[in-house]
Short mmCIF file of all heavy atoms in Angstrom, two decimals:
data_model
loop_
_atom_site.label_atom_id
_atom_site.label_comp_id
_atom_site.label_asym_id
_atom_site.label_seq_id
_atom_site.Cartn_x
_atom_site.Cartn_y
_atom_site.Cartn_z
N ARG A 1 -27.37 5.68 -10.51
CA ARG A 1 -27.97 4.95 -11.63
C ARG A 1 -28.25 5.97 -12.74
O ARG A 1 -28.33 7.18 -12.50
CB ARG A 1 -29.25 4.23 -11.21
CG ARG A 1 -30.42 5.13 -10.87
CD ARG A 1 -31.63 4.34 -10.42
NE ARG A 1 -32.72 5.24 -10.05
CZ ARG A 1 -33.84 4.85 -9.46
NH1 ARG A 1 -34.00 3.58 -9.14
NH2 ARG A 1 -34.79 5.71 -9.17
N LEU A 2 -28.39 5.44 -13.96
CA LEU A 2 -28.75 6.26 -15.11
C LEU A 2 -30.20 5.98 -15.47
O LEU A 2 -30.63 4.83 -15.44
CB LEU A 2 -27.87 5.91 -16.32
CG LEU A 2 -26.36 6.08 -16.15
CD1 LEU A 2 -25.65 5.55 -17.40
CD2 LEU A 2 -26.01 7.53 -15.89
N ARG A 3 -30.93 7.01 -15.81
CA ARG A 3 -32.27 6.84 -16.38
C ARG A 3 -32.19 7.37 -17.81
O ARG A 3 -32.06 8.57 -18.04
CB ARG A 3 -33.32 7.61 -15.59
CG ARG A 3 -34.72 7.41 -16.15
CD ARG A 3 -35.82 7.86 -15.20
NE ARG A 3 -35.54 9.07 -14.49
CZ ARG A 3 -36.11 10.25 -14.75
NH1 ARG A 3 -36.98 10.37 -15.71
NH2 ARG A 3 -35.79 11.30 -14.03
N GLN A 4 -32.20 6.45 -18.77
CA GLN A 4 -32.09 6.83 -20.18
C GLN A 4 -33.47 7.21 -20.69
O GLN A 4 -34.44 6.50 -20.47
CB GLN A 4 -31.50 5.66 -20.98
CG GLN A 4 -31.25 5.99 -22.44
CD GLN A 4 -32.47 5.83 -23.32
OE1 GLN A 4 -33.29 4.95 -23.13
NE2 GLN A 4 -32.60 6.72 -24.28
N LEU A 5 -33.55 8.36 -21.37
CA LEU A 5 -34.80 8.85 -21.93
C LEU A 5 -34.72 8.82 -23.45
O LEU A 5 -33.72 9.27 -24.01
CB LEU A 5 -35.06 10.30 -21.49
CG LEU A 5 -35.10 10.58 -20.00
CD1 LEU A 5 -35.14 12.08 -19.75
CD2 LEU A 5 -36.30 9.92 -19.37
N ASP A 6 -35.76 8.32 -24.10
CA ASP A 6 -35.76 8.44 -25.56
C ASP A 6 -36.77 9.50 -25.97
O ASP A 6 -37.51 10.04 -25.15
CB ASP A 6 -35.97 7.09 -26.26
CG ASP A 6 -37.37 6.52 -26.09
OD1 ASP A 6 -38.30 7.30 -25.87
OD2 ASP A 6 -37.50 5.30 -26.20
N ARG A 7 -36.74 9.86 -27.24
CA ARG A 7 -37.55 10.99 -27.73
C ARG A 7 -39.04 10.72 -27.71
O ARG A 7 -39.84 11.64 -27.87
CB ARG A 7 -37.07 11.38 -29.12
CG ARG A 7 -35.69 12.00 -29.09
CD ARG A 7 -35.24 12.46 -30.45
NE ARG A 7 -33.94 13.11 -30.33
CZ ARG A 7 -33.02 13.06 -31.25
NH1 ARG A 7 -33.23 12.39 -32.37
NH2 ARG A 7 -31.86 13.68 -31.07
N THR A 8 -39.45 9.47 -27.50
CA THR A 8 -40.88 9.16 -27.43
C THR A 8 -41.42 9.28 -26.01
O THR A 8 -42.60 9.09 -25.78
CB THR A 8 -41.15 7.72 -27.93
OG1 THR A 8 -40.55 6.79 -27.01
CG2 THR A 8 -40.61 7.50 -29.33
N GLY A 9 -40.53 9.54 -25.05
CA GLY A 9 -40.95 9.64 -23.66
C GLY A 9 -40.72 8.37 -22.87
O GLY A 9 -40.92 8.34 -21.66
N SER A 10 -40.30 7.29 -23.54
CA SER A 10 -40.00 6.04 -22.83
C SER A 10 -38.67 6.19 -22.09
O SER A 10 -37.83 7.02 -22.44
CB SER A 10 -39.90 4.89 -23.82
OG SER A 10 -41.14 4.69 -24.47
N PHE A 11 -38.48 5.36 -21.07
CA PHE A 11 -37.22 5.39 -20.33
C PHE A 11 -36.94 4.02 -19.75
O PHE A 11 -37.81 3.16 -19.67
CB PHE A 11 -37.27 6.44 -19.21
CG PHE A 11 -38.29 6.16 -18.15
CD1 PHE A 11 -37.95 5.42 -17.02
CD2 PHE A 11 -39.58 6.63 -18.27
CE1 PHE A 11 -38.89 5.15 -16.03
CE2 PHE A 11 -40.54 6.37 -17.29
CZ PHE A 11 -40.18 5.63 -16.17
N TRP A 12 -35.67 3.82 -19.36
CA TRP A 12 -35.26 2.61 -18.65
C TRP A 12 -34.12 2.98 -17.72
O TRP A 12 -33.44 3.98 -17.91
CB TRP A 12 -34.88 1.46 -19.59
CG TRP A 12 -33.75 1.77 -20.52
CD1 TRP A 12 -33.83 2.27 -21.78
CD2 TRP A 12 -32.34 1.63 -20.25
NE1 TRP A 12 -32.59 2.45 -22.32
CE2 TRP A 12 -31.65 2.06 -21.40
CE3 TRP A 12 -31.61 1.18 -19.16
CZ2 TRP A 12 -30.27 2.07 -21.48
CZ3 TRP A 12 -30.22 1.20 -19.25
CH2 TRP A 12 -29.57 1.62 -20.40
N TYR A 13 -33.92 2.15 -16.69
CA TYR A 13 -32.86 2.38 -15.70
C TYR A 13 -31.69 1.45 -15.94
O TYR A 13 -31.86 0.29 -16.30
CB TYR A 13 -33.39 2.15 -14.29
CG TYR A 13 -34.29 3.25 -13.79
CD1 TYR A 13 -35.67 3.08 -13.83
CD2 TYR A 13 -33.79 4.43 -13.30
CE1 TYR A 13 -36.52 4.09 -13.38
CE2 TYR A 13 -34.62 5.43 -12.85
CZ TYR A 13 -35.98 5.26 -12.89
OH TYR A 13 -36.81 6.25 -12.46
N SER A 14 -30.50 1.97 -15.66
CA SER A 14 -29.29 1.14 -15.70
C SER A 14 -29.18 0.34 -14.41
O SER A 14 -29.99 0.49 -13.50
CB SER A 14 -28.06 2.04 -15.82
OG SER A 14 -27.86 2.75 -14.59
N SER A 15 -28.15 -0.46 -14.32
CA SER A 15 -27.80 -1.10 -13.05
C SER A 15 -27.44 -0.02 -12.05
O SER A 15 -27.13 1.12 -12.41
CB SER A 15 -26.60 -2.03 -13.24
OG SER A 15 -26.92 -3.04 -14.16
N VAL A 16 -27.45 -0.39 -10.78
CA VAL A 16 -27.13 0.54 -9.70
C VAL A 16 -25.71 0.25 -9.22
O VAL A 16 -25.32 -0.89 -9.08
CB VAL A 16 -28.14 0.34 -8.54
CG1 VAL A 16 -27.76 1.15 -7.33
CG2 VAL A 16 -29.55 0.70 -9.01
N PHE A 17 -24.93 1.34 -8.99
CA PHE A 17 -23.57 1.19 -8.51
C PHE A 17 -23.39 1.94 -7.21
O PHE A 17 -23.79 3.09 -7.09
CB PHE A 17 -22.56 1.71 -9.55
CG PHE A 17 -22.38 0.78 -10.70
CD1 PHE A 17 -23.23 0.84 -11.78
CD2 PHE A 17 -21.38 -0.17 -10.68
CE1 PHE A 17 -23.07 -0.02 -12.85
CE2 PHE A 17 -21.22 -1.04 -11.74
CZ PHE A 17 -22.07 -0.97 -12.82
N GLU A 18 -22.76 1.27 -6.24
CA GLU A 18 -22.51 1.87 -4.93
C GLU A 18 -21.03 2.20 -4.80
O GLU A 18 -20.17 1.44 -5.27
CB GLU A 18 -22.90 0.89 -3.83
CG GLU A 18 -22.72 1.46 -2.43
CD GLU A 18 -23.19 0.50 -1.35
OE1 GLU A 18 -24.18 -0.23 -1.58
OE2 GLU A 18 -22.55 0.47 -0.29
N ILE A 19 -20.74 3.34 -4.17
CA ILE A 19 -19.34 3.74 -3.97
C ILE A 19 -19.25 4.52 -2.67
O ILE A 19 -20.22 5.16 -2.24
CB ILE A 19 -18.83 4.58 -5.17
CG1 ILE A 19 -17.32 4.72 -5.11
CG2 ILE A 19 -19.54 5.91 -5.24
CD1 ILE A 19 -16.69 5.02 -6.44
N GLU A 20 -18.10 4.45 -2.02
CA GLU A 20 -17.89 5.17 -0.76
C GLU A 20 -16.86 6.26 -0.94
O GLU A 20 -15.79 6.04 -1.51
CB GLU A 20 -17.43 4.22 0.34
CG GLU A 20 -17.29 4.92 1.68
CD GLU A 20 -17.11 3.96 2.84
OE1 GLU A 20 -16.98 2.75 2.61
OE2 GLU A 20 -17.08 4.45 3.98
N LEU A 21 -17.21 7.46 -0.48
CA LEU A 21 -16.29 8.60 -0.49
C LEU A 21 -15.80 8.78 0.93
O LEU A 21 -16.58 9.03 1.84
CB LEU A 21 -17.01 9.86 -0.97
CG LEU A 21 -16.15 11.09 -1.19
CD1 LEU A 21 -15.11 10.83 -2.27
CD2 LEU A 21 -17.02 12.27 -1.60
N THR A 22 -14.51 8.55 1.14
CA THR A 22 -13.92 8.64 2.47
C THR A 22 -13.30 10.01 2.68
O THR A 22 -13.06 10.75 1.72
CB THR A 22 -12.85 7.54 2.67
OG1 THR A 22 -11.85 7.69 1.66
CG2 THR A 22 -13.47 6.16 2.57
N ALA A 23 -13.03 10.31 3.92
CA ALA A 23 -12.41 11.59 4.26
C ALA A 23 -11.01 11.66 3.67
O ALA A 23 -10.30 10.66 3.63
CB ALA A 23 -12.34 11.76 5.77
N PRO A 24 -10.62 12.82 3.18
CA PRO A 24 -9.26 12.95 2.69
C PRO A 24 -8.26 12.70 3.82
O PRO A 24 -8.56 12.95 4.99
CB PRO A 24 -9.17 14.39 2.19
CG PRO A 24 -10.41 15.08 2.62
CD PRO A 24 -11.38 14.05 3.11
N SER A 25 -7.09 12.21 3.48
CA SER A 25 -6.08 11.90 4.50
C SER A 25 -5.31 13.14 4.91
O SER A 25 -4.54 13.10 5.86
CB SER A 25 -5.12 10.83 3.99
OG SER A 25 -4.50 11.28 2.80
N SER A 26 -5.50 14.24 4.19
CA SER A 26 -4.79 15.46 4.54
C SER A 26 -5.70 16.66 4.33
O SER A 26 -6.76 16.56 3.72
CB SER A 26 -3.53 15.60 3.67
OG SER A 26 -3.92 15.71 2.31
N ILE A 27 -5.26 17.78 4.85
CA ILE A 27 -5.94 19.04 4.66
C ILE A 27 -5.22 19.75 3.52
O ILE A 27 -4.00 19.75 3.45
CB ILE A 27 -5.88 19.88 5.96
CG1 ILE A 27 -6.61 19.13 7.08
CG2 ILE A 27 -6.49 21.25 5.74
CD1 ILE A 27 -6.41 19.74 8.45
N GLU A 28 -6.01 20.34 2.60
CA GLU A 28 -5.37 20.96 1.45
C GLU A 28 -6.17 22.16 0.97
O GLU A 28 -7.40 22.12 0.90
CB GLU A 28 -5.23 19.95 0.31
CG GLU A 28 -4.50 20.50 -0.89
CD GLU A 28 -4.32 19.48 -1.99
OE1 GLU A 28 -4.83 18.35 -1.87
OE2 GLU A 28 -3.69 19.83 -3.00
N LEU A 29 -5.45 23.21 0.62
CA LEU A 29 -6.00 24.38 -0.04
C LEU A 29 -5.54 24.30 -1.49
O LEU A 29 -4.34 24.33 -1.76
CB LEU A 29 -5.48 25.67 0.62
CG LEU A 29 -5.74 26.98 -0.12
CD1 LEU A 29 -7.23 27.25 -0.25
CD2 LEU A 29 -5.04 28.13 0.59
#
């Protein structure tokens, strides 16, 4: 999520996004 800050000290949150990071299918250097 993003927390937007303005110069007055106020803030608000964005929507929340979920994502999955899976194992790579190969080994690589």
Side-chain angles (χ1 to χ4, degrees):
R1 69 182 178 189
L2 301 174
R3 182 166 40 107
Q4 185 276 325
L5 303 171
D6 69 26
R7 291 183 177 146
T8 67
S10 297
F11 64 91
W12 60 268
Y13 286 100
S14 70
S15 298
V16 173
F17 284 86
E18 182 177 325
I19 193 157
E20 184 169 5
L21 187 62
T22 58
S25 58
S26 63
I27 298 170
E28 184 178 4
L29 169 63

